[in-house]
Amino acid sequence: MNAQIFSIGTEILLGNIVDTNSQFIAQRLMEFGIDLFKMETIGDNPKRLYDAFKACDGKVDYVITSGGLGPTPDDLSKEVAIEVCELESEVEVDQKSYEALISFFNGDEESAKANIKQAKFPKSAIILENPIGTAPGCILTSKKGTKYILMPGPPNEMKTMLDNEVVKYLSRDAIIKSKIAKIGLLGEWDMARRIDLDRTKPTISPYITDEGPILRITAKADNEVEVDRQLEYGVDLVNKYLSPFVITTEDIRKEEVLINILKERNEKVTTAESITGGLIASSIIDIPGASDVISEAYVTYADEVKENILNVSRETIKEYSVVSEEVLNEMLDGLYSRTKANLCLATTGYAHTGEVWMGVLYNGQKFKKHLQLNGDRNRVRLRTKMKIIDTAILAMRGEYESNISF
């Protein structure tokens, strides 16, 4: 089985609304083993809608849309789909849908009549209830066998309809499951060159996120035993070729991996942040259970704060500059002296140029690195945070010195 997704609305093309619907629909299709051919956004233009819908007719099993089911003249998804399916002669007011409109408007029939186009469907349509909005969806079948599944645009309405109504009418063609492997420190190219990505059963695909490079392992089969076997084999391959850079193969954030290691060892982490401005500490505190491991965190942005809080020498700053290995070294020493934490993390840098010094002090051993990062100031700060979390995890695992070069 295969499908195409359309998100409909000029407001999406203008950038006024972000299309999150297509991503949600795609994830559900994957769970049913339905191959997705294409995702496309179309404005509220009847000819373009007709041409796009018609191009799919007989070529895919499902055309799935979100948007364009409202009461205004520019809401055209249903009308165009009816035309493509040649069902115009069947259209009538569905009494149940009309009564639902009256109920939605608290008995106000005038408001219901103003929205009556939302209650009109061909007799052969499967009507999809919308308990939280005014626009029901529907499923129309063309003469060539393509099913047009039309849903409203508001994400909460679309998700409710998809999960409660649409899934009843989807055919499960196969079982598809995925796992992700979050990789530390490596760039996308460096990660990809270490493992064979030109393979199937399972497929292994790289992509980059704000947490760094990720490998998605995807298996497809007609039974769960085979799918699980493929996934296990894929995870084994990733661990074989990318160890020790594999931070986790669970769907958890890297900060949670860090917290779990600290909890297991009954250890504490503290931070002293200049360029990252509290981003590291905040990302750790975001995770439930952080209070068990993080005791103190300092934003030491100004030079005098580095001097007063961390005992960084004014002479060191004058001689080497605030963004230097020497200042970073004193920040780590000062943070440990003040907190006695097992794991101390420190950063200093110039966000506008991307020059960064970051350091990890773990149980007496220091790991320091000079970085030259690309991107705007917030991108530089985010990448610094990501790299220091990766480094801390690998340092705590004892896998830093012999393996890490970045």
Side-chain angles (χ1 to χ4, degrees):
M1 307 295 285
N2 50 59
Q4 179 158 338
I5 296 171
F6 289 106
S7 56
I8 298 166
T10 302
E11 67 277 9
I12 303 173
L13 292 176
L14 293 174
N16 297 328
I17 294 176
V18 176
D19 173 28
T20 59
N21 286 350
S22 294
Q23 179 188 27
F24 186 85
I25 296 167
Q27 290 169 342
R28 287 293 183 269
L29 293 180
M30 185 194 74
E31 293 168 8
F32 276 78
I34 297 171
D35 294 321
L36 180 60
F37 277 10
K38 192 176 182 182
M39 292 192 293
E40 188 175 345
T41 299
I42 307 177
D44 301 304
N45 180 290
K47 184 178 186 308
R48 291 175 193 156
L49 276 174
Y50 181 87
D51 290 344
F53 286 3
K54 191 68 176 176
C56 297
D57 195 21
K59 294 180 179 154
V60 297
D61 298 293
Y62 300 108
V63 171
I64 303 178
T65 76
S66 63
L69 295 184
T72 62
D74 63 344
D75 291 309
L76 298 165
S77 299
K78 182 170 58 178
E79 288 75 8
V80 171
I82 288 170
E83 186 180 355
V84 169
C85 294
E86 301 177 30
L87 297 173
E88 299 97 316
S89 62
E90 293 188 22
V91 175
E92 62 182 16
V93 174
D94 176 67
Q95 196 59 35
K96 183 177 179 182
S97 298
Y98 183 63
E99 289 171 1
L101 277 175
I102 295 174
S103 176
F104 186 88
F105 289 111
N106 298 315
D108 183 352
E109 289 201 39
E110 186 175 340
S111 295
K113 285 178 181 176
N115 288 266
I116 198 167
K117 69 174 284 194
Q118 296 177 105
K120 291 181 177 181
F121 299 92
K123 291 179 184 178
S124 60
I126 297 171
I127 298 172
L128 306 170
E129 293 183 9
N130 183 357
I132 57 175
T134 62
C138 66
I139 301 175
L140 308 176
T141 304
S142 77
K143 297 187 185 308
K144 294 182 179 180
T146 294
K147 295 184 184 301
Y148 290 79
I149 301 175
L150 313 176
M151 294 184 290
N156 60 332
E157 295 181 32
M158 185 281 298
K159 291 176 181 179
T160 300
M161 185 176 292
L162 181 58
D163 285 342
N164 293 347
E165 294 282 309
V166 174
V167 293
K168 301 174 187 175
Y169 302 99
L170 294 178
S171 297
R172 188 178 289 277
D173 195 40
I175 297 170
I176 298 179
K177 290 184 182 180
S178 289
K179 287 184 74 73
I180 60 172
K182 295 186 178 180
I183 310 301
L185 297 180
L186 300 179
E188 186 175 17
W189 177 86
D190 197 12
M191 174 183 69
R193 74 179 178 84
R194 295 166 184 258
I195 186 169
D196 177 18
L197 300 176
D198 187 19
R199 56 166 297 109
T200 58
K201 297 186 178 181
T203 60
I204 301 176
S205 304
Y207 61 102
I208 295 296
T209 71
D210 286 342
E211 284 195 271
I214 284 178
L215 289 172
R216 180 175 294 279
I217 307 158
T218 304
K220 180 178 180 179
D222 59 6
N223 64 85
E224 291 214 25
V225 172
E226 174 59 16
V227 167
D228 291 341
R229 185 199 68 77
Q230 288 184 31
L231 282 181
E232 184 177 356
Y233 177 63
V235 170
D236 288 345
L237 283 176
V238 170
N239 284 322
K240 177 180 178 181
Y241 290 106
L242 287 166
S243 179
F245 302 103
V246 180
I247 301 296
T248 181
T249 56
E250 297 179 59
D251 191 15
I252 60 175
R253 283 177 51 183
K254 291 178 176 180
E255 289 84 352
E256 186 170 350
V257 176
L258 180 71
I259 288 172
N260 289 342
I261 296 172
L262 290 166
K263 281 183 176 181
E264 289 168 7
R265 301 177 183 183
N266 195 29
E267 294 178 338
K268 299 288 186 182
V269 58
T270 56
T271 62
E273 302 181 56
S274 182
I275 183 174
T276 44
L279 189 59
I280 300 166
S282 177
S283 72
I284 294 171
I285 293 169
D286 279 344
I287 306 298
S291 60
D292 295 334
V293 301
I294 187 165
S295 54
E296 300 170 67
Y298 301 95
V299 175
T300 57
Y301 207 68
D303 292 356
E304 57 269 26
V305 177
K306 293 180 179 69
E307 297 169 21
N308 296 335
I309 298 293
L310 302 176
N311 203 30
V312 174
S313 164
R314 183 173 300 180
E315 289 71 27
T316 302
I317 294 175
K318 286 182 178 179
E319 183 174 355
Y320 297 103
S321 89
V322 72
V323 180
S324 63
E325 181 177 6
E326 289 77 12
V327 166
L328 175 72
N329 197 58
E330 292 189 12
M331 289 176 70
L332 287 169
D333 288 342
L335 182 61
Y336 176 74
S337 177
R338 189 175 187 91
T339 67
K340 296 299 188 289
N342 307 88
L343 179 65
C344 297
L345 309 178
T347 62
T348 183
Y350 300 122
H352 65 289
T353 67
E355 183 185 4
V356 178
W357 274 97
M358 49 161 265
V360 173
L361 172 59
Y362 181 62
N363 288 339
Q365 191 171 11
K366 284 179 184 173
F367 308 92
K368 296 172 288 184
K369 189 66 182 180
H370 181 249
L371 305 172
Q372 188 63 55
L373 303 174
N374 297 321
D376 62 25
R377 57 182 290 106
N378 286 330
R379 181 67 180 157
V380 167
R381 293 172 62 243
L382 182 63
R383 292 182 66 193
T384 301
K385 184 271 294 187
M386 180 179 72
K387 286 185 179 294
I388 202 168
I389 294 292
D390 289 347
T391 301
I393 291 169
L394 295 176
M396 295 175 75
R397 288 175 176 170
E399 296 171 330
Y400 184 91
E401 286 188 300
S402 60
N403 292 291
I404 305 308
S405 175
F406 64 98

